[in-house]
Amino acid sequence: MKQTGELNTLIEGFRESLISRAPLCAELDPESGYHIVRIDSVPDYEPILEEVSLGVGDIVNNLRCSLDHLAWQCACAHAQGIPNKPKNIYFILCNAVAGQQHKTPSIFSPTAWGRMHEYQPCREVNGRPDGWTGLYIHQLDLLTELSNFDKHQMLVHIELQANHFETIPTRIGLPPWVQRTESGDFDFLPDRTGDPDPGADCVDFSYSSHRMEVGEEVVRIFAPLWGRQPEIKHVGSAVPYFALPGGRPVVPTLQRITEFVAMLTGDLQRNCP
């Protein structure tokens, strides 16, 4: 979908810009020897949040409307004209669980509903390819959740992507498996990857809140190069991460729903003219 591509360009363009970065500071934890890296200040994200949320809302509403238009076409075909209660025509979801009856809506022909039912949440994956790696949620349930969410509050929020931040140098020297050449380049020596690395740093994300807010912890770093300095200002910067409810990534989530809706509508249009 063109809209999704434009939204991705907007998000990635902002993430790559320097104005998106949140500066970091570090303070030493004397007991562990690790420096605790925190968000020192946060840029004003409201304008970009509003722009991205509006873009997501447009895509979600367009997808929902396309399903309702499909339902309208199927209902008109079954009624051989305008249905008796046109305001009651919408794309129906079936979430029946094992042991419950799967009722055929009277507004659709058995053939049309039979095709629709193959794509319902009650059928789960139903043999269709789905490369989603997060906690499973059916595409139609996800679309409904986002559509309902959009009616009440802002769809998109910003989190810290804990594995995407930059800091000043933390380690002493190069690891044994990296060697500088006379030309100034670096050679990788795979046979030395198991050698001791006394100058290495260590990172610990287990305390990270993932929230892009002042004072929130990003990471704990044992940094030989930082020594025992009690406090270091301007230690680096963190990159924002745009997330939907549940922490889901914006663009891959929308692409997953879009592909599903396209598959469903294409099937119905081919088999239920």
Side-chain angles (χ1 to χ4, degrees):
M1 180 185 281
K2 182 180 178 181
Q3 284 180 296
T4 307
E6 293 172 347
L7 185 64
N8 185 59
T9 299
L10 172 66
I11 291 173
E12 292 307 314
F14 180 77
R15 278 167 45 83
E16 291 171 5
S17 68
L18 293 179
I19 63 172
S20 75
R21 306 300 171 90
L24 305 175
C25 59
E27 59 182 21
L28 178 67
D29 174 28
E31 185 176 343
S32 66
Y34 277 70
H35 278 85
I36 303 173
V37 179
R38 301 184 186 277
I39 303 287
D40 196 31
S41 64
V42 177
D44 180 10
Y45 290 129
E46 288 305 314
I48 187 67
L49 270 176
E50 183 174 357
E51 192 172 357
V52 174
S53 282
L54 289 173
V56 172
D58 285 343
I59 294 170
V60 167
N61 289 327
N62 287 341
L63 291 171
R64 181 72 218 191
C65 285
S66 69
L67 291 178
D68 288 338
H69 284 309
L70 178 66
W72 175 257
Q73 293 171 5
C74 292
C76 287
H78 184 50
Q80 297 183 335
I82 303 299
N84 291 332
K85 297 180 179 179
K87 292 185 178 181
N88 292 343
I89 306 301
Y90 60 93
F91 188 87
I92 297 173
L93 265 62
C94 179
N95 286 98
V97 297
Q100 291 183 331
Q101 184 178 1
H102 300 260
K103 296 181 180 179
T104 301
S106 60
I107 59 175
F108 304 130
S109 70
T111 300
W113 176 247
R115 298 308 306 172
M116 285 187 199
H117 198 251
E118 290 298 307
Y119 293 87
Q120 292 293 331
C122 65
R123 302 285 288 168
E124 297 184 343
V125 178
N126 201 17
R128 291 179 296 269
D130 186 2
W132 188 248
T133 56
L135 183 65
Y136 178 77
I137 178 173
H138 191 277
Q139 291 92 328
L140 294 182
D141 282 335
L142 183 53
L143 177 58
T144 301
E145 175 188 304
L146 292 176
S147 179
N148 291 339
F149 204 95
D150 183 49
K151 297 173 185 176
H152 302 289
Q153 51 191 306
M154 188 173 286
L155 259 174
V156 178
H157 61 283
I158 282 185
E159 296 179 348
L160 168 66
Q161 193 169 15
N163 62 347
H164 197 169
F165 65 94
E166 299 171 351
T167 68
I168 59 177
T170 58
R171 58 166 296 129
I172 299 174
L174 297 172
W177 52 88
V178 177
Q179 186 176 66
R180 189 187 295 272
T181 65
E182 294 182 359
S183 63
D185 295 329
F186 295 96
D187 281 343
F188 174 62
L189 309 175
D191 58 324
R192 298 197 60 186
T193 55
D195 290 4
D197 184 13
D201 57 7
C202 299
V203 296
D204 180 1
F205 291 108
S206 63
Y207 298 91
S208 176
S209 69
H210 304 285
R211 290 192 296 269
M212 192 65 102
E213 298 176 8
V214 174
E216 293 298 322
E217 181 173 330
V218 177
V219 65
R220 298 189 179 197
I221 302 180
F222 182 81
L225 195 58
W226 295 359
R228 304 286 295 184
Q229 296 184 64
E231 184 177 356
I232 310 175
K233 300 291 287 185
H234 310 297
V235 73
S237 60
V239 181
Y241 172 73
F242 292 78
L244 294 168
R248 302 181 185 100
V250 175
V251 173
T253 301
L254 294 176
Q255 288 174 332
R256 178 177 179 243
I257 300 172
T258 301
E259 292 169 1
F260 184 85
V261 170
M263 189 188 313
L264 189 162
T265 53
D267 187 349
L268 266 291
Q269 289 169 352
R270 286 191 304 271
N271 294 289
C272 303

